[in-house]
């Protein structure tokens, strides 16, 4: 038997990413978001959805830029903390001992400790209700060489132990099940 529930946002698991924003060190801030994702491959585009009452909202709206920093087990504490404290009251970089580094294209800082920093420039803002959706072009990606295999050049995020967010809980990723297309490959191996 299935129960009918009232409409709700139950698409999980999701990322819990740290979004860095601001165009000067005094303005730099970090907000944790789960309402974010990829919306186009070519051109590479993504979205974040932010409540207008967030401190970060005005910063992102003013600068029209932000960086999505992928989070890891090591960054899990800071990820949660930056999602329950406001930049109105704290300097989150300082409080969490995180390093604001230079992005290549946008003014917003990257979080150096994150293995992957996705630089974004806002194209359009959609007011949807509780949240505004920032639709953005990905203008650059910075990948930590620590996770790039010298021989193959392959970036392996698994080594960094990325985390996911599901129904109010954070998780590290479990066992690998198979690679893209494994279901239709002839051999049993993926
Ligand atoms: C796991 C997690 C996911 C979150 N996702 C969102 C989100 O998608 N949109 C949003 O507006 N707030 C989200 N929040 C809440 C903000 O991160 C939180 O209100 C934060 O304190 C705002 O910081 P700021 O005032 O410095 O901008 C999330 C919080 C957590 C812990």
């Amino acid at each position: 038997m299935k129960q009918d529930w009232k409409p709700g946002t139950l698409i999980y698991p999701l990322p819990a990413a740290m979004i860095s924003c601001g165009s000067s060190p005094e303005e730099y801030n970090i907000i944790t978001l789960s309402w974010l994702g990829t919306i186009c491959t070519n051109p590479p585009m993504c979205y974040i959805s932010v409540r207008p009452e967030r401190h970060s909202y005005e910063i992102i709206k003013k600068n029209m830029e932000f960086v999505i920093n992928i989070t890891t087990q090591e960054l899990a504490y800071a990820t949660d903390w930056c999602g329950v404290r406001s930049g109105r009251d704290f300097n989150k970089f300082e409080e969490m001992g995180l390093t604001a580094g230079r992005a290549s294209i946008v003014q917003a800082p990257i979080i150096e400790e994150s293995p992957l920093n996705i630089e974004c420039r806002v194209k359009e803002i959609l007011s949807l209700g509780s949240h505004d959706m920032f639709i953005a072009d990905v203008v650059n990606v910075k990948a930590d060489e620590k996770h790039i295999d010298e021989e193959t050049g392959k970036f392996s995020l698994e080594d960094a132990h990325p985390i996911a967010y599901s129904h109010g809980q954070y998780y590290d990723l479990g066992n690998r099940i198979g690679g893209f297309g494994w279901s239709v490959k002839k051999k049993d191996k993926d």
Side-chain angles (χ1 to χ4, degrees), residues 29 32-35 49 51 54-56 83 85-87 92:
N29 193 36
T32 299
L33 297 178
S34 278
W35 289 181
S49 277
R51 285 184 185 261
R54 308 294 188 223
H55 181 60
S56 307
R85 291 286 180 263
S86 179
K92 298 191 196 181

Side-chain angles (χ1 to χ4, degrees), residues 1 3 34 41 57 97 130 133 140 152 160:
M1 280 287 280
Q3 295 182 358
S34 278
T41 303
Y57 178 91
S130 60
M133 183 183 192
N140 189 51
T152 61

Side-chain angles (χ1 to χ4, degrees), residues 21 30 34 43 73 78 80 97 99-100 125-127 131 136 151 164-165 188:
C21 55
I30 303 170
S34 278
Q73 264 180 27
D80 186 60
T99 316
I125 305 173
L126 294 180
S127 291
H131 290 65
E151 273 172 30
Y165 181 69
D188 267 1

Side-chain angles (χ1 to χ4, degrees), residues 104-172:
S104 294
I105 305 282
V106 301
Q107 297 280 311
I110 62 163
I111 299 174
E112 291 283 6
E113 289 77 9
S114 161
L116 205 59
N117 320 105
I118 301 163
E119 300 181 36
C120 301
R121 186 164 285 148
V122 178
K123 220 174 172 181
E124 207 180 325
I125 305 173
L126 294 180
S127 291
L128 302 175
S130 60
H131 290 65
D132 278 10
M133 183 183 192
F134 292 79
I135 296 177
D137 284 318
V138 175
V139 292
N140 189 51
V141 177
K142 290 177 95 70
D144 194 333
E145 287 181 345
K146 220 166 49 187
H147 304 293
I148 300 176
D149 186 298
E150 268 180 35
E151 273 172 30
T152 61
K154 202 172 163 254
F155 181 77
S156 170
L157 192 58
E158 298 74 50
D159 293 352
H161 300 284
I163 56 172
Y165 181 69
S166 191
H167 299 273
Q169 307 296 319
Y170 304 96
Y171 296 89
D172 53 11

